[in-house]
Each structure stands twice: as structure tokens, then as C-alpha cells.
């Protein structure tokens, strides 16, 4: 069976004979499954509408570095919901692409301070406009109040789920 969205608008796939299969109700009632579906759909939409190379996580890091120039890499990881090892490799890729620079302060050789390059600022500015357009597309048909309520709920849920795995 291949995974996808059936004609009925629900998750499912095609069986070997070509017939549509809806996702089992147990999956549709599982928050993790629904979150995974949302994430997969968002990543595909991001690649199509925003940038096929710059990932959402990279965009988040560029946005946060722009908001907090000179921030220490470790502090920024938590702000963008990445663990330290993922943050390190992601920042390394952004640095290799010439989008950010890392510097080490003389007083603490373990720290890495992050700054956008001119190319990083341009990339962020261009992606930002497309990302906001994607946001509008994703929330089409929702009132501003409904959007705000949904985002409050999703952020609260994210914080709670993150608390379940914090050390």
C-alpha cells in the first residue's frame, strides 16, 4: 500500500488492487499520527511553496539569528526547538552555504556566537515572504480569531509534549 491522501480527503492509500483505503480509525484518533501527517504535509508544502533547499528548521535558525544577532548557539537551540547535536550540524550546513558565521569569544572558547551574513539576510528575507504566503494558504478559510486560538492550542500542546522528554 502506498501512503497518501485519498479522494475522500482522508489519509489512506491504494491497496494492491488499486482501491482506496482510508486510514484506520485508530490512527485518525492517535495524536502522534495526526501530528506526523501534519508535519509531512507541511514539509511537502514548504518545499513546493517556499524553498526546495532551505528547510523549515534552517529557516527557523536564520530567523532566530536575525532576531538575536551574536546569540550563543546553544541558547538558540532551545528557542528553535532543536537539540544541541542537531543544532550543531544544522548550523554547520548554514555556515558552509555562507548564510551564517560562527565566532568564538576570547573569554570562552567553547561558545559559538552566530551572525547572519549578507547572503543569509537576503536568503531569509526572500524565504520569509514566501513562508508568510504559505501561512496564509495553510490557514485559508480560518478567521483571525480561529487562527490565534489554534496556534495557542498547538503551542501549548508542543510545550507539553516537549516537557515529556526533557531531562
Amino acid at each position: 500500500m502506498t501512503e497518501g491522501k485519498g479522494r475522500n480527503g482522508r489519509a489512506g492509500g491504494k491497496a494492491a488492487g488499486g482501491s482506496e483505503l482510508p486510514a484506520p480509525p485508530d490512527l485518525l484518533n492517535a495524536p502522534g499520527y495526526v501530528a506526523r501527517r501534519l508535519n509531512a504535509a507541511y514539509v511537502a508544502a514548504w518545499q513546493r511553496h517556499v524553498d526546495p533547499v532551505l528547510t523549515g528548521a534552517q529557516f527557523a535558525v536564520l530567523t532566530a539569528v536575525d532576531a538575536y544577532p551574536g546569540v550563543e548557539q546553544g541558547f538558540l537551540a532551545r528557542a528553535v526547538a532543536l537539540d544541541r547535536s542537531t543544532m550543531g550540524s544544522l548550523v554547520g550546513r548554514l555556515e558552509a552555504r555562507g548564510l551564517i558565521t560562527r565566532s568564538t569569544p576570547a573569554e570562552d572558547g567553547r561558545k559559538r556566537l552566530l551572525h547572519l551574513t549578507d547572503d543569509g539576510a537576503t536568503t531569509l528575507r526572500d524565504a520569509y515572504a514566501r513562508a508568510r504566503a504559505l501561512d496564509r494558504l495553510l490557514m485559508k478559510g480560518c478567521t483571525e480569531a480561529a487562527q490565534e486560538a489554534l496556534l495557542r492550542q498547538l503551542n501549548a500542546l508542543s510545550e507539553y509534549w516537549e516537557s515529556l522528554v526533557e531531562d
Side-chain angles (χ1 to χ4, degrees):
M1 176 173 68
T2 60
E3 188 174 339
K5 187 174 175 183
R7 281 183 291 239
N8 60 8
R10 293 189 308 206
K14 291 192 185 246
S19 61
E20 296 281 334
L21 292 176
D26 285 349
L27 288 178
L28 296 175
N29 293 319
Y33 173 76
V34 174
R36 190 205 58 77
R37 276 183 62 201
L38 281 168
N39 182 63
Y42 182 73
V43 167
W46 177 274
Q47 290 174 343
R48 176 175 287 180
H49 295 278
V50 179
D51 195 306
V53 177
L54 185 73
T55 67
Q58 291 171 343
F59 176 79
V61 169
L62 292 177
T63 300
V65 171
D66 185 50
Y68 307 112
V71 69
E72 201 276 315
Q73 178 176 314
F75 291 136
L76 196 65
R78 174 102 172 128
V80 296
L82 295 172
D83 61 63
R84 285 180 175 264
S85 63
T86 301
M87 180 70 167
S89 63
L90 189 148
V91 165
R93 288 190 298 278
L94 291 173
E95 186 177 38
R97 287 181 57 194
L99 302 179
I100 63 168
T101 60
R102 286 190 276 192
S103 61
T104 305
E107 69 276 2
D108 189 344
R110 297 171 296 168
K111 289 184 178 181
R112 299 294 178 265
L113 308 181
L114 305 178
H115 295 274
L116 287 181
T117 63
D118 289 343
D119 285 346
T122 299
T123 297
L124 176 60
R125 183 181 61 247
D126 293 347
Y128 187 87
R130 292 188 303 271
R132 296 300 68 88
L134 176 59
D135 290 345
R136 288 187 296 277
L137 180 62
L138 293 172
M139 301 303 269
K140 187 176 180 178
C142 291
T143 66
E144 189 173 328
Q147 290 178 38
E148 290 172 4
L150 176 61
L151 290 171
R152 268 194 313 277
Q153 291 174 327
L154 289 172
N155 280 304
L157 189 59
S158 294
E159 289 176 17
Y160 173 66
W161 286 15
E162 289 165 350
S163 77
L164 297 175
V165 296
E166 289 177 349
D167 293 333

